[in-house]
Amino acid sequence: MSFLQTYIDFKNRRAEVNSSIESIIDASKDSAKNAVWKLDNDLAALVIKGLTYFNHFSYVAILDESDNVLAESHKKQLEQSNKVLSFFSVPNIREYVVPLTISELSSVNGSELLLGTGQMRIRINIHSSLSDVYDRAVVTFIISLAGYIVISFALGLLYHLSLAAPLMRLASRFETVNTASFTEQSISKLKGHGSDEFSKIIDSANDLLGRIASAQILLTQRSQRFRLILDTAPAIIYSLDNEGKFVFANKATALFYGYSIFDLKGKLASEIIEPVDSALMEVLNTFLDNNSRQMNKVFEAYDSQKVKCVMEMSFVKFHTYDGQSILVVGNDVTKRVEAEEKIENLAYCDSLTNLPNRNKVYEKLNSQEVAIANSQYQVAILADLDQFKRINDTLSHSVGDQLIVKLAERLTIEFKDIGFVARLGADEFLLHSEQLSNNREIANTTAVELAEKLRRCINREIDIGSHRYNLSASLGVVVFKHGFETADEILQYADTAMYESKKSGRNCSTLFIDKMATEAAELLKLERDISNAIFKDEFFFVLQPLISSVTMEVTSAEALIRWQRDDTIVAPNEFIPFLEESAMIIEVGDKMLTKVCEFLVQLKQRGLLTASFKIAVNISGKQLSEADFIDKVTNVLRKYQIAGHYLEFEITESVALDNLKDTINKINELKQIGISFSLDDFGTGYSSLSHLKDLPVDKLKIDQSFINDINVDKQDENLVKAILQLAVNLGIVTVAEGVETKEQVEWLKENGSMLLQGYYFSRPILPDEFIEKYLTSKDKVTMVSQT
């Protein structure tokens, strides 16, 4: 405020001085003009003397028009500069030049005439003119400074008493806080500061201390949990700093290397790991030296006892305040690797004989590396043991397994230097030999000789305990070059040749020839076509009625499978034999059972299904041997709400006798839900009569081959009469198949009560036609049941 007042005073005083100077100059201007006009030095000196009366005029001079000095006064002491004001760039001297012009008015024309000119030069000491202002400013400054000093001292004292001292006391209380303590602490309030800013600071500090204590407890709990997780984890987990020293390690790591957790901390990894596992130490050093941020590796590791295990390890680099560290996590995957090896062994080795299995054979035959490296002819010999199922059925599967094992051992020893022996199936073996010859004829001859050697090896007696057993096999021989045929084609060719050996009487070998290739190709094409037909749902069924020989009325029908490929109906004998040998018969058979049940539902909804009517469905051996066959049947019946007594399952004697005990159990279980059974093609097998009494079937179907000549062949006539009498004695219904003439019908009617089936009555017809012809026709007869 004092500076503002001084500034205003200075500004006003300077205005007064300027006004005063101008007034003095104006007052002396006329006298100076006269002195110049008259060139009167005395008058000029008098004017100068009058001006120098004022102390702040440092120089005054009057000059004529020729710049001659008429009079002057010079006070040099006033022209000395003020060092203080000069420092602030304030000018010390101000100079005035006052022109002195002398003129008079002309009496002739009234114009102004110039009589003479001159000038008056004046220099004024500004600071001198404002000295009183400066004096007052100095006094004001001294007084203000003194006031400021007093005020500053008072404020400093106030600051110390009200702020600095409380802050020091507050700081000393903060210093007493124990940062290592997990318990909640508090700072007491300052005396006299119970509700001011210090109180709020202390409240905030206490709140912060409380939260820090809670966070410390939570952090400790988490640290303990983390430590617990680390120590209970089966994985090896540890960290190394940039010097290769252990920063931390879990219990699994300590146990693995035979130390305690505390002993490991700070130790060099080279001291701990190097003595027992130099390979791992090399991996660690390599990882530390390279630029990789992460690495995963599976390798063999060793513990402190030099026990080997397979470790899956991860190495990760991370930065800490003191440099770069690495985290190492290792999982013992020994059991997993062993399990994978075991799985691989199971995938490529036969579990009973430990020989390579079908998967391994496919891998070897399809190997492109072998195909490129080997250009000579090779041979694959497929050996299928003859009648081996009979051994399993009569001597038990245990004996059969022992025979397979003994034979596998013999083949392995006999052909270890010749080729590759594998087990493809239950009673199928394969011998593969490479580099027979570059000449096809020589290769064929060598392959046949090798097959004969294999056959004789199989024929030799096998001792199991005190018993001796003889085996024989049908062999299929294929000579080929790698890369020209696939494994599927090679095995298919071998299978084709093997079946030729079976047709030739078994216990022999057959070399695959081009003619068989055409047949094999047709079989492969048929297999693909059937698979495609299943996908397109091209299979359907037709019905052939069964007629009572007593009433000549329809009692039931047999569902027969048919295949419509595009617009053509495929002949049954072109696909059924192959389908029955294929696993695809299971899916096709399931579909036929479902379609028959759908048809029964249709009859039921139309009121055409009588309690005595039933449809016979052919069941293959592969279907019957399925473990879940009964569940499938019951699920279908439950789905369509069809009672079991509307169905009859037809099985052939070969199917029934294939696994007699299991077949009997399944038949009995299905009969409990009302399904009846018939034995198809009876009399064509070799052992039906010996097992017939054990089979709980309801019908015998006499094969068409016996019915054809009953009117002309006495032997067939007597055989059919014997079967009819046997059925009567066993309480079983008889069905005569393939009835085609009136004479056959008459003969059968005369020789007993039975069911008749054949073209004489009807060819197999579509379900809708069957309904129209036998179930809804006006002249149809009422159906009766056969008991």
Side-chain angles (χ1 to χ4, degrees):
M1 194 68 181
S2 60
F3 288 104
L4 179 61
Q5 183 179 355
T6 301
Y7 172 73
I8 294 171
D9 188 18
F10 172 78
K11 189 175 182 181
N12 293 333
R13 177 59 181 159
R14 186 174 62 180
E16 291 176 0
V17 169
N18 290 337
S19 178
S20 175
I21 290 172
E22 291 176 358
S23 298
I24 292 171
I25 292 173
D26 287 341
S28 60
K29 191 174 181 181
D30 291 336
S31 299
K33 286 181 180 181
N34 290 329
V36 171
W37 183 63
K38 296 177 180 182
L39 300 176
D40 188 349
N41 292 336
D42 294 332
L43 180 59
L46 184 62
V47 173
I48 292 300
K49 184 178 180 181
L51 289 173
T52 55
Y53 175 78
F54 299 99
N55 293 331
H56 43 277
F57 282 73
S58 63
Y59 176 79
V60 180
I62 297 175
L63 290 81
D64 60 15
E65 60 183 352
S66 299
D67 290 334
N68 296 318
V69 177
L70 297 179
E72 67 177 352
S73 174
H74 190 188
K75 299 177 182 179
K76 294 183 179 181
Q77 70 275 12
L78 290 177
E79 291 187 356
Q80 294 178 356
S81 62
N82 190 309
K83 294 181 179 181
V84 175
L85 295 176
S86 297
F87 177 78
F88 294 102
S89 300
V90 179
N92 189 42
I93 301 299
R94 179 182 298 170
E95 187 171 348
Y96 293 87
V97 177
V98 181
L100 301 175
T101 304
I102 304 168
S103 60
E104 72 177 10
L105 193 62
S106 175
S107 58
V108 179
N109 53 14
S111 61
E112 189 174 357
L113 298 175
L114 180 62
L115 299 179
T117 62
Q119 61 179 351
M120 184 168 55
R121 295 180 180 177
I122 301 172
R123 288 200 293 268
I124 298 172
N125 189 311
I126 300 300
H127 300 317
S128 175
S129 65
L130 298 175
S131 59
D132 55 340
V133 177
Y134 296 156
D135 292 339
R136 287 195 301 273
V138 169
V139 172
T140 302
F141 175 74
I142 292 171
I143 294 172
S144 298
L145 180 62
Y148 292 150
I149 291 172
V150 172
I151 292 172
S152 298
F153 178 77
L155 289 175
L157 181 62
L158 179 64
Y159 169 78
H160 176 74
L161 295 176
S162 62
L163 186 61
L167 285 174
M168 292 296 294
R169 294 200 303 272
L170 187 60
S172 63
R173 294 188 183 184
F174 280 170
E175 290 175 355
T176 62
V177 175
N178 184 6
T179 56
S181 174
F182 294 150
T183 58
E184 187 173 343
Q185 304 174 71
S186 63
I187 300 171
S188 59
K189 293 188 177 182
L190 298 175
K191 186 176 181 181
H193 298 277
S195 59
D196 57 9
E197 291 81 358
F198 290 103
S199 175
K200 292 182 179 180
I201 291 173
I202 292 172
D203 289 341
S204 298
N206 287 333
D207 179 62
L208 179 61
L209 288 173
R211 283 186 279 136
I212 290 174
S214 301
Q216 285 178 322
I217 294 172
L218 181 61
L219 184 62
T220 302
Q221 292 173 346
R222 290 179 177 176
S223 177
Q224 290 173 345
R225 284 198 297 268
F226 177 68
R227 186 79 246 183
L228 181 63
I229 292 171
L230 285 178
D231 288 339
T232 55
I236 292 174
I237 305 173
Y238 60 88
S239 176
L240 304 176
D241 61 17
N242 55 353
E243 296 180 356
K245 293 181 179 180
F246 281 92
V247 178
F248 74 84
N250 68 341
K251 189 175 290 184
T253 304
L255 291 174
F256 190 80
Y257 290 112
Y259 287 83
S260 69
I261 295 175
F262 301 103
D263 290 339
L264 279 180
K265 190 172 183 180
K267 288 281 185 67
L268 286 169
S270 57
E271 298 177 13
I272 306 300
I273 301 175
E274 181 76 29
V276 297
D277 198 343
S278 58
L280 174 58
M281 196 65 234
E282 185 177 348
V283 171
L284 284 170
N285 290 331
T286 302
F287 180 66
L288 279 170
D289 295 338
N290 63 32
N291 296 324
S292 300
R293 302 298 305 168
Q294 186 172 353
M295 181 176 71
N296 297 313
K297 192 176 181 67
V298 177
F299 55 91
E300 293 179 350
Y302 296 86
D303 63 9
S304 59
Q305 303 300 318
K306 290 285 186 177
V307 176
K308 183 176 72 173
C309 61
V310 181
M311 298 290 290
E312 184 179 56
M313 302 197 77
S314 297
F315 307 88
V316 181
K317 290 178 182 175
F318 62 96
H319 290 284
T320 58
Y321 67 92
D322 57 351
Q324 183 173 262
S325 300
I326 64 170
L327 175 67
V328 182
V329 179
N331 289 297
D332 187 345
V333 294
T334 306
K335 291 183 178 179
R336 190 191 76 188
V337 171
E338 290 175 350
E340 289 174 351
E341 291 175 353
K342 187 175 181 180
I343 291 171
E344 184 176 0
N345 186 63
L346 290 173
Y348 290 99
C349 291
D350 178 59
S351 59
L352 180 63
T353 63
N354 208 34
L355 288 176
N357 62 8
R358 184 178 291 270
N359 292 334
K360 189 65 177 179
V361 170
Y362 269 78
E363 183 183 84
K364 186 171 181 63
L365 294 179
N366 285 326
S367 174
Q368 292 300 317
E369 294 180 2
V370 174
I372 294 171
N374 192 355
S375 61
Q376 290 190 324
Y377 283 103
Q378 304 178 38
V379 63
I381 304 174
L382 178 63
D384 185 86
L385 301 182
D386 297 327
Q387 305 294 339
F388 194 75
K389 289 184 179 180
R390 186 187 296 181
I391 294 176
N392 283 331
D393 292 340
T394 57
L395 300 179
S396 79
H397 284 274
S398 176
V399 174
D401 289 346
Q402 292 180 64
L403 287 171
I404 291 294
V405 172
K406 289 280 188 179
L407 179 59
E409 292 173 353
R410 177 189 294 176
L411 295 176
T412 301
I413 295 171
E414 189 82 14
F415 296 96
K416 65 179 180 179
D417 298 325
I418 298 176
F420 170 83
V421 178
R423 186 187 181 204
L424 298 185
D427 55 358
E428 285 187 337
F429 291 87
L430 180 83
L431 172 61
H432 171 233
S433 181
E434 301 178 356
Q435 300 182 351
L436 295 183
S437 173
N438 287 323
N439 184 282
R440 181 60 184 256
E441 291 184 4
I442 297 175
N444 287 347
T445 302
T446 305
V448 171
E449 292 174 355
L450 189 59
E452 183 61 21
K453 181 179 180 179
L454 176 60
R455 187 188 65 80
R456 290 196 302 268
C457 182
I458 295 172
N459 287 162
R460 293 206 306 264
E461 289 183 341
I462 297 177
D463 295 333
I464 297 179
S466 59
H467 299 280
R468 292 186 174 184
Y469 301 91
N470 290 96
L471 297 176
S472 67
S474 299
L475 283 67
V477 185
V478 180
V479 176
F480 63 95
K481 276 190 177 182
H482 248 309
F484 290 89
E485 290 91 8
T486 66
D488 277 321
E489 291 172 334
I490 293 168
L491 294 179
Q492 183 65 46
Y493 297 160
D495 202 53
T496 301
M498 182 268 293
Y499 274 108
E500 289 296 322
S501 295
K502 287 189 178 292
K503 292 178 184 178
S504 300
R506 298 188 175 93
N507 195 26
C508 62
S509 62
T510 302
L511 179 66
F512 182 82
I513 58 177
D514 293 339
K515 180 182 177 182
M516 297 178 187
T518 304
E519 297 174 357
E522 290 176 353
L523 289 176
L524 284 174
K525 182 178 183 304
L526 180 60
E527 183 177 7
R528 288 192 293 267
D529 290 345
I530 289 176
S531 178
N532 190 46
I534 294 173
F535 177 75
K536 293 182 176 180
D537 196 23
E538 293 179 347
F539 290 105
F540 63 99
F541 70 89
V542 292
L543 296 173
Q544 188 173 33
L546 277 70
I547 312 298
S548 169
S549 64
V550 177
T551 64
M552 297 304 291
E553 297 171 352
V554 176
T555 64
S556 57
E558 180 182 359
L560 301 168
I561 185 171
R562 293 294 183 266
W563 176 13
Q564 181 172 347
R565 181 170 55 192
D566 298 327
D567 296 329
T568 306
I569 302 296
V570 182
N573 61 346
E574 291 183 14
F575 73 92
I576 290 179
F578 177 83
L579 187 61
E580 288 178 340
E581 294 294 328
S582 169
M584 293 185 287
I585 187 63
I586 296 174
E587 185 174 358
V588 175
D590 292 343
K591 285 181 177 291
M592 288 303 102
L593 178 60
T594 300
K595 289 178 182 292
V596 168
C597 288
E598 290 174 348
F599 176 69
L600 289 171
V601 169
Q602 181 184 351
L603 295 181
K604 186 177 180 180
Q605 292 173 346
R606 296 175 62 179
L608 302 176
L609 185 62
T610 62
S612 60
F613 182 74
K614 62 179 58 185
I615 296 179
V617 180
N618 289 278
I619 301 297
S620 70
K622 289 183 171 58
Q623 284 180 275
L624 193 61
S625 63
E626 280 195 299
D628 62 344
F629 176 69
I630 295 176
D631 292 335
K632 284 184 177 181
V633 174
T634 53
N635 288 337
V636 171
L637 293 177
R638 187 181 300 113
K639 177 181 177 180
Y640 292 101
Q641 297 294 306
I642 295 296
H645 65 79
Y646 291 115
L647 286 178
E648 181 175 280
F649 286 165
E650 284 192 14
I651 58 175
T652 62
E653 56 181 332
S654 59
V655 169
L657 301 178
D658 185 37
N659 192 346
L660 187 61
K661 185 177 179 180
D662 182 63
T663 300
I664 292 172
N665 290 336
K666 287 180 177 176
I667 289 175
N668 285 328
E669 193 167 345
L670 289 169
K671 284 173 70 71
Q672 290 179 4
I673 60 175
I675 298 176
S676 59
F677 279 81
S678 61
L679 191 62
D680 198 10
D681 300 334
F682 182 75
T684 59
Y686 59 88
S687 59
S688 298
L689 293 175
S690 62
H691 295 288
L692 184 59
K693 62 184 181 64
D694 297 320
L695 283 171
V697 295
D698 304 283
K699 291 178 183 176
L700 288 182
K701 300 190 76 171
I702 304 173
D703 189 69
Q704 181 179 359
S705 60
F706 300 109
I707 302 298
N708 285 341
D709 298 326
I710 54 174
N711 300 113
V712 295
D713 190 326
K714 194 65 177 178
Q715 187 176 358
D716 282 349
E717 181 181 346
N718 292 333
L719 184 57
V720 172
K721 286 181 178 180
I723 294 173
L724 292 172
Q725 187 58 50
L726 176 64
V728 171
N729 294 337
L730 295 175
I732 299 174
V733 175
T734 308
V735 179
E737 291 186 297
V739 179
E740 297 182 351
T741 65
K742 183 177 181 181
E743 290 77 15
Q744 291 172 349
V745 173
E746 295 299 329
W747 188 95
L748 291 168
K749 289 176 64 176
E750 291 174 0
N751 285 275
S753 173
M754 68 192 75
L755 296 177
L756 308 177
Q757 179 181 359
Y759 284 1
Y760 178 79
F761 302 101
S762 174
R763 288 178 175 272
I765 56 178
L766 293 172
D768 290 341
E769 187 180 349
F770 184 88
I771 294 174
E772 178 66 25
K773 186 174 181 179
Y774 297 108
L775 303 183
T776 61
S777 177
K778 294 181 179 180
D779 58 347
K780 75 176 182 68
V781 292
T782 305
M783 294 186 185
V784 295
S785 63
Q786 292 292 314
T787 59

